[in-house]
Amino acid sequence: MRVMAQIAMVMNLDKCIGCHTCSVTCKQVWTNREGAEYMWFNNVETRPGLGYPRSWQDQERWRGGWERTPAGRLRLKSGGRAHRLARIFANPRLPGMHDYYEPWTYEYKNLTDAPAGEDMPVARPVSQLTGEPMDTITWGPNWDDNLGGAPEHAPGDPVVQKIREEVGEKVRFAFEQSFMFYLPRICEHCLNPACVSSCPSGAMYKRSEDGVVLVDQDRCRGWRMCVSGCPYKKVFFNHRTGKAEKCTLCYPRLEAGRPTVCSETCVGRLRYLGVMLYDADRVSEAAAVTDEKDLYAAQLRCFLDPDDPEVAAAARASGVGGSWLAAARRSPVRDLITKYRVALPLHPEYRTLPMVWYVPPLSPVVEEVAASGHDGEDAGNLFGAIDALRIPVEYLAELFTAGDTGEVDRVLRTLAAMRAHMRRLNLGEQPDESAAGAVGLSGRGVEELFRLLAVAKYEDRFVVPTAARAEAEALAGSHPLPDACPVGGVPGEQPLLTIQRRKERR
């Protein structure tokens, strides 16, 4: 057992209102400069929809992530080393600017500096790439926001195309019949990141102390294999610097014990940050299971219980400090993922073992039942309506469980039981634990889940240990690296020391 720690995130989609505050604050902090105009490390997509970049889920086109060989081993969908080397100077599996969008601004000076007269001044759109005026704007990072243009664009959603034959008329895009929910997306900081394995220069690496995936800007040569290798398309190429850039999970804030910018500014308070302990020796086995529908359960088996004395001892032997162990025991992310099991991974079939998980939305169930003239909060009505959701369970399953509707149904039933139980308490009625018992929870367990999902305080949603320098260097020293390891910039020197040397030289 090789215990490692990972900072993970859970998002409760029932609380996302699509305000894009997280996107704007992330943009202002990390990509507010030349060459990064089109980059959105954090974006909020309306589902169903094409997303950003356009149709990023279509792995038959982009060939991102991993696939299992007939021999039971994993290989990159983009091909082996020889295949990638043969097309290192011409990679056809890259999204183009039309798949993202051509970033633009407006000639605001025409509005502020125009002389007084009878004519109304106009601020024309101007490309931020070329500086030339743009005749028409045809796409943007949230072009189909709130189902804008859904009849035209939403049928192109790869998930809709995949389940269309299965669910038939349950997927409609007429305004009064459509369904929607918001899906905030950042880099998944996977346990088995395809972007790291795709990088020919070794610039992409996963930090051993907290699991954050970063790009060494000194080593990056701009091959862009990481862009095509990432199935979530969360690695971007800066055309000004010729380097790859991506979400850093705000690691300078994490090292100070503070949450990420997107988490702290989230209006809906839907994000949770915490520490997960996992067995690194189980990662490869979990990612290579035969059936894609078993990937969710396989990843759960990688996680370890920090309350187990054997796990705690192994964690200390691996260099996981006491503050990280304490944070893992209090982690809200661990409760949502392994204790209550209401959080699910995004597209586990990519076999990257993502570490940003989601609580699927339940609100449309209540609305659907209430619209039919029944009590929308009654547990019996909710349980019976889950199979007739306006948001098809099949659609959610293709997003979060590789098509396994049973797991999504279980999570939705748990959330429905929580609502029914808490409603009785809030109305002063006698508690009835039958709904909670139907999903394997006690009344107290349901109330604890409600407090965590609905009214958790700041310190309960974000449990991030401060990265002590002594602990970080001890951790780096506990894992000796070969001279040729791509993480280290100086042969024979540990990466954290290398970074410190670089800072001193600056």
Side-chain angles (χ1 to χ4, degrees):
M1 179 167 51
R2 184 159 57 98
V3 182
M4 300 192 74
Q6 168 88 33
I7 297 291
M9 181 183 288
V10 169
M11 303 190 205
N12 183 2
L13 299 185
D14 237 355
K15 299 173 73 176
C16 183
I17 61 175
C19 65
H20 302 278
T21 303
C22 52
S23 300
V24 174
T25 51
C26 175
K27 182 73 176 174
Q28 290 297 318
V29 171
W30 292 107
T31 58
N32 187 19
R33 50 195 158 73
E34 288 189 5
E37 294 91 351
Y38 79 102
M39 297 184 194
W40 294 87
F41 290 172
N42 185 115
N43 71 290
V44 182
E45 300 173 357
T46 299
R47 295 276 121 191
L50 298 183
Y52 174 77
R54 196 169 354 197
S55 300
W56 61 269
Q57 299 168 103
D58 185 1
Q59 300 313 322
E60 294 302 317
R61 176 185 180 189
W62 305 120
R63 307 297 294 170
W66 301 87
E67 62 184 0
R68 189 177 186 274
T69 68
R73 302 183 63 183
L74 287 181
R75 69 180 175 196
L76 291 170
K77 276 193 173 183
S78 57
R81 293 182 180 180
H83 181 75
R84 284 181 285 121
L85 180 62
R87 54 184 178 83
I88 195 169
F89 294 108
N91 183 4
R93 302 292 187 180
L94 284 173
M97 192 53 65
H98 65 283
D99 293 307
Y100 295 104
Y101 72 106
E102 185 172 359
W104 72 88
T105 184
Y106 293 94
E107 295 177 325
Y108 292 110
K109 286 188 177 181
N110 287 355
L111 302 180
T112 59
D113 299 346
E118 296 181 358
D119 298 329
M120 177 68 68
V122 177
R124 295 184 303 172
V126 176
S127 171
Q128 290 185 298
L129 299 182
T130 65
E132 299 295 327
M134 299 175 64
D135 295 330
T136 56
I137 298 173
T138 59
W139 196 254
N142 292 296
W143 195 259
D144 48 6
D145 194 26
N146 289 323
L147 294 183
E152 179 181 356
H153 300 296
D157 181 342
V159 175
V160 171
Q161 293 178 340
K162 189 174 182 179
I163 67 171
R164 173 77 67 175
E165 294 182 1
E166 183 178 353
V167 301
E169 290 301 314
K170 293 175 73 174
V171 179
R172 302 171 183 170
F173 295 109
F175 179 77
E176 70 279 2
Q177 297 173 322
S178 61
F179 65 90
M180 59 169 279
F181 63 94
Y182 300 110
L183 180 70
R185 292 206 307 118
I186 65 171
C187 169
E188 297 288 329
H189 297 279
C190 310
L191 298 183
N192 185 38
C195 59
V196 173
S197 298
S198 299
C199 180
S201 58
M204 302 282 297
Y205 66 99
K206 186 175 178 67
R207 298 210 310 185
S208 58
E209 59 266 34
D210 56 14
V212 177
V213 177
L214 298 174
V215 184
D216 186 336
Q217 295 290 298
D218 292 335
R219 284 182 170 268
C220 181
R221 296 295 177 265
W223 300 119
R224 285 171 280 186
M225 292 295 178
C226 53
V227 179
S228 55
C230 173
Y232 303 98
K233 291 297 172 280
K234 277 301 174 179
V235 184
F236 302 89
F237 181 71
N238 189 313
H239 300 278
R240 293 283 185 178
T241 64
K243 308 287 186 179
E245 299 184 19
K246 62 177 294 297
C247 162
T248 64
L249 206 64
C250 295
Y251 72 89
R253 295 174 60 91
L254 296 180
E255 290 173 351
R258 300 179 63 187
T260 63
V261 169
C262 61
S263 299
E264 187 152 28
T265 59
C266 176
V267 174
R269 302 195 305 175
L270 61 97
R271 299 178 186 239
Y272 300 79
L273 276 172
V275 177
M276 295 290 292
L277 298 184
Y278 69 96
D279 186 353
D281 292 334
R282 299 180 187 174
V283 169
S284 297
E285 178 185 352
V289 295
T290 305
D291 191 346
E292 290 181 345
K293 294 182 180 181
D294 294 332
L295 284 164
Y296 165 59
Q299 186 170 357
L300 285 180
R301 291 193 293 270
C302 292
F303 299 136
L304 301 173
D305 182 4
D307 293 320
D308 187 335
E310 184 179 347
V311 171
R316 294 189 185 94
S318 297
V320 179
S323 62
W324 284 73
L325 272 175
R329 295 187 180 104
R330 297 175 42 240
S331 173
V333 171
R334 180 173 74 98
D335 288 343
L336 294 173
I337 293 177
T338 61
K339 182 179 179 180
Y340 300 111
R341 293 183 61 192
V342 294
L344 302 170
L346 180 63
H347 285 299
E349 68 271 19
Y350 298 160
R351 298 182 183 270
T352 60
L353 305 187
M355 288 304 291
V356 176
W357 291 42
Y358 297 86
V359 179
L362 179 65
S363 294
V365 187
V366 178
E367 297 171 2
E368 181 79 7
V369 176
S372 64
H374 296 85
D375 186 349
E377 299 285 355
D378 181 79
N381 292 337
L382 284 177
F383 286 170
I386 284 178
D387 291 334
L389 289 178
R390 196 170 188 177
I391 299 180
V393 173
E394 293 85 354
Y395 187 92
L396 297 175
E398 288 295 336
L399 280 179
F400 302 121
T401 56
D404 185 359
T405 57
E407 290 291 347
V408 175
D409 185 81
R410 175 189 57 78
V411 172
L412 295 179
R413 287 175 179 270
T414 301
L415 298 176
M418 178 190 72
R419 287 194 174 192
H421 181 87
M422 293 308 303
R423 183 201 187 207
R424 294 183 66 90
L425 289 182
N426 292 332
L427 292 178
E429 299 178 3
Q430 186 66 25
D432 181 6
E433 297 194 8
S434 60
V439 294
L441 292 176
S442 63
R444 181 177 179 182
V446 166
E447 293 167 24
E448 291 176 353
L449 177 60
F450 169 78
R451 280 193 291 270
L452 182 58
L453 288 177
V455 296
K457 296 181 179 179
Y458 183 96
E459 59 272 15
D460 297 322
R461 290 183 290 121
F462 310 130
V463 180
V464 182
T466 302
R469 186 70 196 178
E471 289 185 1
E473 292 186 352
L475 178 61
S478 67
H479 296 282
L481 299 172
D483 292 347
C485 179
V487 178
V490 179
E493 190 171 58
Q494 298 299 330
L496 289 173
L497 300 180
T498 300
I499 294 172
Q500 184 64 26
R501 294 277 180 89
R502 288 174 183 161
K503 291 180 180 178
E504 293 172 356
R505 285 199 294 268
R506 295 193 185 103

